[in-house]
């Protein structure tokens, strides 16, 4: 992806149709392919993890149970027992994003969470779900939340638009956070990988070769950072969803 | 005999979990360095500020496009958006003993 002596850091986010002519006609790109892979990996992994249903779990089953209990603890801890019905949604969301983030780190793969259209769709789904749930639970009283309690009525024309804008900014901040983190990580990886080739071609193999090892070392550290960021962003997305749903359920 | 077995198992499990939690907590303390926390907080606050501002700009632009009054609503809503961004950040940093809801 290094064209001449330039680093094309954003070229990796381009979409290309897969599966030849069929993929071309239905616009099936590597992004969608990775989404399908992520959607298949999670249930298959859980199925094989829980196949034996042992009372004393083996390593694989214990890992599966820990994943389940981690998300369960987070969802119930934030939403309370009333939010139990949303646990499958949170679980799916968390592991879909997490798998997407981690799939993107594999060679020849693609991180579908690095496209804002994907993250914005997920965030809008959460946003509309929260609105529907709060309308169902609170009825028209939901709209009373846009007027802060205790503020004078005369301030309403100023306060209500600010509150509404603050509410509307939720899906945007949710989607931008995930998307920006993934893009930044992948651009950095590409940059440092590009430095190696630039050093090797620019300074010659004798001098640039040994120097080119340095960016590779940095890249190894960056991969570790990306593993952390991928899990963290999936966690943040899930916990913010829990908080929004908790607000929708409680008040 | 049948009743005894799960009891012992439970006891063992609890014993194991208490040991596990100690090591888990120590690990957690080690992990949460102040530097990392600050960096994460700055990123989060920045995104909150920016996204509210963006919503304001988009709504203002939409209203202007509809009523062809550019740039009146864009100015109004960008200011409102900035205020909403500050409100968002305030909601994050707000001390828990203040309950403005």
């Amino acid at each position: 992806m290094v064209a001449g002596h330039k680093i094309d850091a954003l070229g990796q986010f381009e979409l290309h149709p897969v599966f030849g002519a069929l993929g071309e006609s239905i616009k099936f790109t590597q992004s969608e392919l990775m989404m399908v892979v992520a959607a298949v990996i999670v249930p298959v992994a859980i199925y094989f993890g829980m196949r034996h249903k042992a009372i004393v779990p083996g390593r694989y089953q214990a890992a599966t149970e820990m994943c389940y209990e981690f998300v369960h603890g987070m969802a119930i801890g934030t939403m309370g027992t009333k939010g139990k019905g949303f646990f499958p949604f949170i679980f799916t969301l968390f592991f879909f994003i997490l798998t997407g983030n981690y799939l993107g780190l594999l060679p020849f793969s693609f991180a579908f969470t690095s496209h804002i259209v994907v993250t914005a769709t997920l965030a809008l789904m959460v946003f509309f779900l929260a609105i529907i749930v709060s309308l169902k639970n609170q009825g028209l009283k939901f709209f009373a939340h846009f007027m802060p309690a205790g503020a004078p009525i005369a301030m309403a024309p100023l306060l209500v638009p600010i509150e509404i804008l603050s509410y509307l900014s939720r899906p945007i901040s949710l989607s931008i956070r995930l998307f920006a983190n993934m893009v930044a990580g992948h651009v950095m990886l590409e940059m440092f990988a590009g430095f190696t080739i630039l050093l090797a071609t620019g300074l010659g193999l004798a001098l640039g070769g040994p120097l080119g090892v340095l960016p590779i070392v940095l890249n190894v550290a960056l991969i570790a950072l990306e593993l952390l960021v991928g899990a963290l962003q999936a966690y943040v997305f899930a916990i913010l969803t829990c908080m929004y749903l908790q607000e929708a359920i409680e008040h | 005999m049948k009743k005894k077995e799960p009891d012992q198992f439970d006891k063992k499990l609890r014993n194991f979990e208490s040991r596990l939690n100690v090591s888990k907590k120590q690990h957690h303390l080690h992990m949460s360095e102040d530097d990392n926390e600050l960096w994460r907080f700055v990123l989060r606050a920045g995104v909150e500020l920016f996204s509210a501002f963006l919503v304001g700009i988009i709504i203002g632009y939409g209203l202007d496009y509809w009523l062809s009054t550019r740039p009146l609503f864009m100015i109004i809503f960008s200011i409102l958006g900035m205020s909403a961004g500050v409100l968002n950040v305030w909601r994050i940093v707000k001390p828990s003993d203040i309950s403005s809801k």
Side-chain angles (χ1 to χ4, degrees), chain B residues 10-100:
Chain B
D10 276 355
K11 218 163 117 191
K12 263 189 189 168
L13 185 71
R14 235 173 287 139
N15 183 17
F16 174 71
E17 264 179 356
S18 67
R19 273 187 295 154
L20 182 75
N21 281 345
V22 168
S23 65
K24 248 188 195 169
K25 266 175 204 156
Q26 279 176 347
H27 190 63
H28 194 73
L29 271 176
H30 222 74
M31 281 281 285
S32 63
E33 288 163 37
D34 281 349
D35 239 26
N36 201 9
E37 289 287 311
L38 183 70
W39 184 78
R40 234 189 285 166
F41 166 73
V42 167
L43 205 73
R44 186 165 172 214
V47 169
E48 294 285 354
L49 264 176
F50 173 72
S51 60
F53 180 57
L54 195 71
V55 171
I57 292 278
I58 290 170
I59 291 177
Y61 185 83
L63 279 175
D64 278 337
Y65 187 80
W66 179 41
L67 302 167
S68 52
T69 51
R70 206 148 122 205
L72 175 67
F73 282 109
M74 222 150 120
I75 293 168
I76 294 173
F77 273 89
S78 60
I79 293 168
L80 286 176
M82 287 180 218
S83 322
V86 174
L87 182 69
N88 281 347
V89 175
W90 167 243
R91 291 229 166 100
I92 304 175
V93 300
K94 183 172 66 179
S96 50
D97 51 329
I98 300 175
S99 56
S100 71

Side-chain angles (χ1 to χ4, degrees), chain A residues 55-56 66 145 148-149 157-158 161-163 165-170 172-174 176-177 181 228-229 232-233 236 240 243-244 247 251, chain B residues 9 17 24 31 36 39-40 43-44 47-48 50-56 58-59 77 79-85 87-88 91 100-101:
Chain A
I55 295 178
V56 181
M66 271 166 75
H145 288 302
L158 190 61
I162 290 177
E163 288 282 337
L165 280 181
S166 166
Y167 193 77
L168 289 179
S169 74
R170 280 174 174 186
I172 300 200
S173 67
L174 203 57
I176 287 181
R177 192 177 299 119
N181 269 291
L228 177 71
V229 166
L232 202 68
Q233 288 310 313
V236 166
L240 282 175
M243 279 161 67
Y244 295 161
E247 243 175 54
H251 297 289
Chain B
F9 177 71
E17 264 179 356
K24 248 188 195 169
M31 281 281 285
N36 201 9
W39 184 78
R40 234 189 285 166
L43 205 73
R44 186 165 172 214
V47 169
E48 294 285 354
F50 173 72
S51 60
F53 180 57
L54 195 71
V55 171
I58 290 170
I59 291 177
F77 273 89
I79 293 168
L80 286 176
M82 287 180 218
S83 322
L87 182 69
N88 281 347
R91 291 229 166 100
S100 71
K101 189 71 211 181

